[in-house]
Amino acid sequence: MRPIPLLRRTSLAALATLLAAGHAAAQASVEYDVRFPNRAHHEAQVTATFRGVPAGQPLQLRMSRSSPGRYALHEFAKNVYAVRAADGQGRTLAFTRADPHQWDVAGHDGTVTVHYTVFGDRADGTYAAIDASHAHLNAPATFMWARGMENAPIRARFERPDGWKVATQLVPTADSAVFTAPNLQYFLDSPVEVSPWDVRSWTVPGPDGPQTIRLVLHHLGTAEEADRYADKARKVVAEQIAVFGEAPRFDFGTYTFLADYLPWVAGDGMEHRNSTVIINRRPLAEGEMANLGTLSHEFFHAWNVERIRPAALEPFDFTRANMSGELWFAEGFTSYYDDLFIRRAGLLTDSAYAAGIGGSIVSPVVTAPGRRYFSAVEMSMQAPFVDAASSIDPHNRGNTFLSYYTWGSGIGLGLDLTLRTRFPGVTLDDYMRAMWREFGRAQTAELAPARPYTLADLRRVLGEVTRDPAFANDFFDRYIEGPEVVDYAALLARAGFLLRKPAPGRPWLGVQLGQGDGGVLVDDWPLSHGSVYQAGLSADDVILSLDGRPTPNPDALRAVLDAHRAGDVVAVEFMQRGHRRSGSMTLAENPALEVVAYEVAGMPVTAEMRAFRGAWLGSRAGR
């Protein structure tokens, strides 16, 4: 430092101002107080106090436009109203609106307290829900924050009416209503459940000793149902830890599942660094296994995306949509693993697992017309348009889009089976462990990945794991950055699983049907490889007759189809935007595929197949 030249150029008054500003910045802090006086009408009252605000500068208050793990815009400011601000002496401060998401507060004394109301009635992974039963708060949907104070420590207090309790990944204090966060990124990544929840907990080994897993349940079921569900969750968690050989270092020693299984919630699953939101209307008594699938998916994110993180998403930008070309890996591989862990935990049979991958992975990936337009990388970049995004204009996504969840899970399945076939002793588990060692294990003091990965890193590490960079380059070129799919039939046969068409020769229209005025309504945009599309019909057209027979309702149309085989050509009459039209329709074959275990198909299962299947689907935690 050279202080003497600075003194020569700067007046004593200016120097005092600089020192005061530096001291204020050093003392910067944020406090939130959340109350629920009008929870029956879905309102929360938030008071936010910002201290150490630089003098002479307006405080720029923001509501987020996006939320961690959700890549589209959601414009949370639309649910904020009754905003008022005051300085440290309680004097009212005026504010201006720079844009719909920002309030600029000037004339303060280094402290700004803002009071506002937030409305929320959607319990999911994105929004907030306040009602007589609970307050489910996604932080970006609830809390204003200040530009320039992203690194300030945060303290939050939550009212607990009717004996409610607070569950969150925020850092607990001696006061069970008060929590802290080291910075804004962590705070906005921390959902909060305030309700009369129940909890089941257990410990798992961690790098620094035992860590606690908490299953926080807000549901209407019984204690016995909660116990049974928690037992299955423990088994799934153990299988996931076995893949990596260790649990992540949960920053404050605890990982929390925030599970709302209630009839009035929206349904969702959303990962966070040391917690996850799992929400569904299915009660445990009826939807235990489906709910467990979401739990399995979200917990795997504790490694894959929260710590093994794409560079495009780090740090997360709350002011815009966030795009990544790696979601086929971050979300898709996680989707491949979610049911696999349930099978490895012994909670699914081989036959049930085979049926699941056939219906949710293989069939939609192989038959999707969208693969003609975008690769898995490019599909990942579509997330801001499809990840709970909304628009009012029609789209052709059924023909142009294949979810990066689905395609990525297909890539994961195909790569796992290919590795097991071509490289003895090498599996997708090895690939995930290698990514964890290089990109996930090391984290910063700010609770962020020390080294986020890129697409090139994913390609390189696959070459290193297989010791065959040429294979890795070919796989990426064809199946990840290209439109091809692996030969699932041959790969699955190694495990004694049969890939087949469940309805060979059956006609397929390729569209949803509904009841129209005088006929059958084409109730959606038809798929381009279906009979309806090829015949020139589109959404909202009404089919009046098929093969010369009137079709007053969907059952009548299906009766006509039942009399035909794929490849038949039939006459069709339909109404299209005010005009009666006629033409011909070539009946396409239903392209759907299914996967069945050989024993279900009445085929012999060899010892070699059983060994391959066992190595793939068998438990890791018990070894």
Side-chain angles (χ1 to χ4, degrees):
M1 293 182 65
R2 295 185 179 181
I4 299 303
L6 175 64
L7 288 172
R8 288 174 179 170
R9 295 195 305 268
T10 307
S11 70
L12 290 177
L15 179 60
T17 300
L18 287 172
L19 292 174
H23 179 73
Q27 299 299 314
S29 65
V30 181
E31 295 182 10
Y32 295 99
D33 185 82
V34 187
R35 298 179 300 110
F36 311 105
N38 195 26
R39 61 187 186 274
H41 294 288
H42 317 295
E43 289 183 343
Q45 302 293 329
V46 181
T47 299
T49 301
F50 302 87
R51 294 189 173 88
V53 183
Q57 298 180 21
L59 182 66
Q60 297 179 339
L61 296 173
R62 297 280 303 185
M63 282 299 291
S64 299
R65 303 184 68 198
S66 56
S67 182
R70 189 119 282 160
Y71 310 107
L73 293 176
H74 294 281
E75 313 297 20
F76 299 117
K78 65 182 178 295
N79 285 329
V80 170
Y81 46 91
V83 179
R84 53 192 176 88
D87 67 9
Q89 304 303 311
R91 293 183 291 251
T92 299
L93 296 174
F95 56 82
T96 58
R97 299 295 294 275
D99 59 45
H101 323 282
Q102 184 166 314
W103 294 255
D104 291 349
V105 184
H108 57 78
D109 57 1
T111 296
V112 174
T113 297
V114 59
H115 307 269
Y116 62 92
T117 300
V118 61
F119 177 89
D121 190 27
R122 183 177 173 86
D124 66 359
T126 309
Y127 297 100
I130 304 103
D131 59 38
S133 69
H134 71 163
H136 173 83
L137 306 176
N138 186 43
T142 308
F143 296 104
M144 283 188 183
W145 50 274
R147 287 188 185 274
M149 299 186 70
E150 291 86 354
N151 294 321
I154 295 170
R155 181 178 181 274
R157 181 188 180 280
F158 300 91
E159 182 190 31
R160 297 169 297 170
D162 301 326
W164 291 359
K165 299 173 289 184
V166 183
T168 178
Q169 70 173 26
L170 292 170
V171 187
T173 69
D175 185 337
S176 59
V178 177
F179 299 81
T180 67
N183 53 49
L184 183 69
Q185 280 280 333
Y186 190 82
F187 182 73
L188 292 182
D189 188 46
S190 300
V192 179
E193 171 74 16
V194 189
S195 68
W197 44 262
D198 196 6
V199 66
R200 302 293 184 274
S201 63
W202 63 96
T203 61
V204 297
D208 304 316
Q211 303 185 110
T212 300
I213 305 291
R214 295 194 305 166
L215 175 58
V216 169
L217 289 164
H218 184 202
H219 70 127
L220 304 179
T222 66
E224 291 75 15
E225 290 166 355
D227 289 340
R228 184 171 60 247
Y229 184 62
D231 181 64
K232 293 180 178 180
R234 277 194 290 269
K235 293 177 181 177
V236 170
V237 166
E239 291 294 340
Q240 297 198 10
I241 292 173
V243 163
F244 292 97
E246 60 183 354
R249 176 183 280 106
F250 302 128
D251 300 300
F252 306 105
T254 300
Y255 184 93
T256 304
F257 293 103
L258 299 170
D260 281 291
Y261 300 135
L262 301 165
W264 51 86
V265 299
D268 201 359
M270 184 57 63
E271 72 278 359
H272 300 276
R273 185 172 171 89
N274 297 302
S275 66
T276 192
V277 165
I278 310 170
I279 296 181
N280 208 287
R281 296 181 180 181
R282 296 181 297 254
L284 288 178
E286 300 170 14
E288 182 183 69
M289 292 305 294
N291 292 333
L292 190 66
T294 306
L295 181 147
S296 178
H297 181 101
E298 302 304 334
F299 187 64
F300 194 67
H301 276 315
W303 292 271
N304 190 27
V305 93
E306 288 300 327
R307 290 165 176 82
I308 308 172
R309 191 159 178 83
L313 298 179
E314 185 57 39
F316 193 86
D317 190 337
F318 297 95
T319 68
R320 61 171 178 84
N322 288 253
M323 185 183 77
S324 167
E326 293 79 34
L327 294 183
W328 59 269
F329 178 82
E331 292 288 0
F333 275 34
T334 302
S335 292
Y336 164 63
Y337 269 109
D338 51 28
D339 278 354
L340 179 58
F341 287 125
I342 296 175
R343 171 62 197 93
R344 287 179 177 177
L347 304 175
L348 279 178
T349 65
D350 289 351
S351 296
Y353 180 72
I357 62 174
S360 65
I361 299 178
V362 178
S363 185
V365 169
V366 172
T367 63
R371 287 192 294 106
R372 296 176 296 174
Y373 300 101
F374 301 105
S375 68
V377 173
E378 293 166 320
M379 290 296 183
S380 299
M381 296 177 180
Q382 299 284 311
F385 303 137
V386 300
D387 185 45
S390 61
S391 58
I392 62 172
D393 60 318
H395 56 76
N396 194 27
R397 203 155 284 129
N399 288 312
T400 62
F401 180 71
L402 170 59
S403 170
Y404 42 86
Y405 286 85
T406 305
W407 200 347
S409 62
I411 293 169
L413 171 64
L415 180 56
D416 197 2
L417 296 179
T418 298
L419 293 175
R420 293 171 184 276
T421 299
R422 289 189 51 173
F423 302 96
V426 179
T427 73
L428 196 68
D429 295 353
D430 297 299
Y431 185 39
M432 297 306 301
R433 278 193 294 271
M435 288 296 297
W436 169 248
R437 288 192 297 268
E438 185 167 349
F439 298 101
R441 184 179 286 155
Q443 301 287 304
T444 70
E446 291 74 30
L447 311 185
R451 187 183 172 196
Y453 68 84
T454 65
L455 186 65
D457 291 322
L458 288 167
R459 180 188 287 251
R460 172 183 56 78
V461 172
L462 181 59
E464 293 171 355
V465 168
T466 59
R467 299 183 180 180
D468 190 344
F471 163 77
N473 288 332
D474 179 69
F475 194 92
F476 266 74
D477 289 344
R478 295 173 63 188
Y479 305 119
I480 296 171
E481 297 187 76
E484 298 182 52
V485 295
V486 300
D487 185 352
Y488 287 110
L491 291 170
L492 289 165
R494 294 288 308 278
F497 286 166
L498 175 67
L499 179 63
R500 68 185 184 185
K501 290 186 176 181
R506 293 274 298 177
W508 177 69
L509 296 181
V511 74
Q512 296 292 322
L513 302 177
Q515 183 60 57
D517 185 11
V520 176
L521 178 69
V522 177
D523 205 20
D524 202 352
W525 278 265
L527 295 176
S528 59
H529 50 316
S531 311
V532 164
Y533 186 102
Q534 297 296 331
L537 283 74
S538 189
D540 296 329
D541 292 352
V542 175
I543 301 172
L544 304 174
S545 70
L546 192 66
D547 196 25
R549 296 169 58 184
T551 54
N553 54 58
D555 288 340
L557 188 145
R558 293 187 189 99
V560 176
L561 292 177
D562 287 343
H564 287 277
R565 300 282 292 172
D568 290 353
V569 180
V570 296
V572 60
E573 287 190 283
F574 56 99
M575 290 296 297
Q576 187 175 72
R577 302 202 171 188
H579 296 277
R580 188 181 185 104
R581 303 187 185 280
S582 61
S584 62
M585 179 184 292
T586 300
L587 299 177
E589 183 182 45
N590 190 333
L593 299 168
E594 67 177 3
V595 177
V596 296
Y598 273 21
E599 53 267 39
V600 174
M603 300 170 62
V605 183
T606 67
E608 184 180 9
M609 291 174 183
R610 292 190 187 281
F612 187 97
R613 191 190 296 183
W616 173 29
L617 304 181
S619 173
R620 303 295 184 275
R623 294 181 181 179

